[in-house]
Amino acid sequence: MGLYRIPDGMTVRVAVSGRSGCGNTTASALLARALGVTFVNYTFRSLAGETGLSLAEILERARTDDSFDRTVDAKQVELAERGSCVLGSRLAIWVLKCADLKVYLDADAETRAARILRREGGVIADIRAFTLKRDAEDSARYKKLYGIDTGDYAFADMVVDAAAAEPEQIILSILEELARRNLAAPA
């Protein structure tokens, strides 16, 4: 895949969302690298690293303390608004209002669980159950906090079947869409 560039003097922000294990982080990082822009991926994992709490502790506390979500979401937008970037997060396409391209990566639960297993290890049945539970809890929290229905992503500029494509193919399709919109060009 060739590198693309953003036209001189232009600021371009791409928001990429998807559920856990859909390849959101991988695709966003590759896209940012291909464009030569900042990759913004401030998540509960980032917050866990900063606070010294485990991801499981953050997730548990976030069930009853809205400040965790609000902190993460505000930090993402703050970082993304600084300049050209790719913001990859569960809520990127909803919270980054100034995004020039909003991409939703979709993948079935089996594919997502298998990817998480490869990344983190464990037992597939446990990962699948945890992932589905986390999806449901996240969806309920986002609905309560922001009125966002994460099952409704029809407004996204692109919906990509991430289960049917390798990350490089996904990135190429996004780069081609950016080029169609005159937001990027082959370098």
Side-chain angles (χ1 to χ4, degrees):
M1 161 177 28
L3 293 177
Y4 278 61
R5 65 174 180 76
I6 293 173
D8 292 338
M10 186 178 280
T11 300
V12 175
R13 294 175 186 90
V14 180
V16 182
S17 290
R19 293 174 292 176
S20 180
C22 70
N24 175 22
T25 302
T26 300
S28 297
L30 289 171
L31 180 61
R33 190 173 323 135
L35 290 168
V37 300
T38 302
F39 170 46
V40 177
N41 184 243
Y42 191 88
T43 65
F44 277 159
R45 286 184 197 281
S46 305
L47 187 59
E50 289 180 4
T51 62
L53 298 171
S54 71
L55 175 59
E57 289 172 307
I58 294 282
L59 292 171
E60 182 61 32
R61 290 182 183 191
R63 294 167 101 183
T64 58
D65 184 347
D66 296 344
S67 70
F68 289 94
D69 281 288
R70 292 187 190 284
T71 297
V72 166
D73 300 332
K75 183 73 169 188
Q76 289 173 1
V77 172
E78 172 194 326
L79 293 170
E81 287 180 341
R82 292 180 182 171
S84 292
C85 69
V86 176
L87 171 60
S89 78
R90 300 258 192 301
L91 293 181
I93 66 172
W94 288 274
V95 299
L96 189 58
K97 305 292 187 202
C98 64
D100 298 288
L101 184 69
K102 296 179 180 187
V103 181
Y104 188 83
L105 303 181
D106 197 18
D108 59 84
E110 291 303 313
T111 299
R112 295 184 302 116
R115 287 179 178 166
I116 294 168
L117 175 68
R118 282 193 303 274
R119 181 178 72 213
E120 299 175 10
V123 176
I124 190 70
D126 294 342
I127 292 168
R128 186 181 316 106
F130 177 79
T131 301
L132 291 173
K133 179 182 174 195
R134 183 175 175 191
D135 288 345
E137 289 173 351
D138 287 351
S139 293
R141 248 188 5 266
Y142 302 147
K143 184 73 166 173
K144 180 185 110 187
L145 278 172
Y146 307 115
I148 292 172
D149 176 0
T150 55
D152 179 10
Y153 44 85
F155 66 92
D157 299 307
M158 293 180 72
V159 176
V160 179
D161 181 356
E166 293 298 317
E168 292 77 15
Q169 295 167 303
I170 293 169
I171 300 319
L172 184 56
S173 67
I174 296 170
L175 290 168
E176 289 170 349
E177 181 62 25
L178 285 167
R180 271 192 291 280
R181 293 169 180 249
N182 297 315
L183 297 171

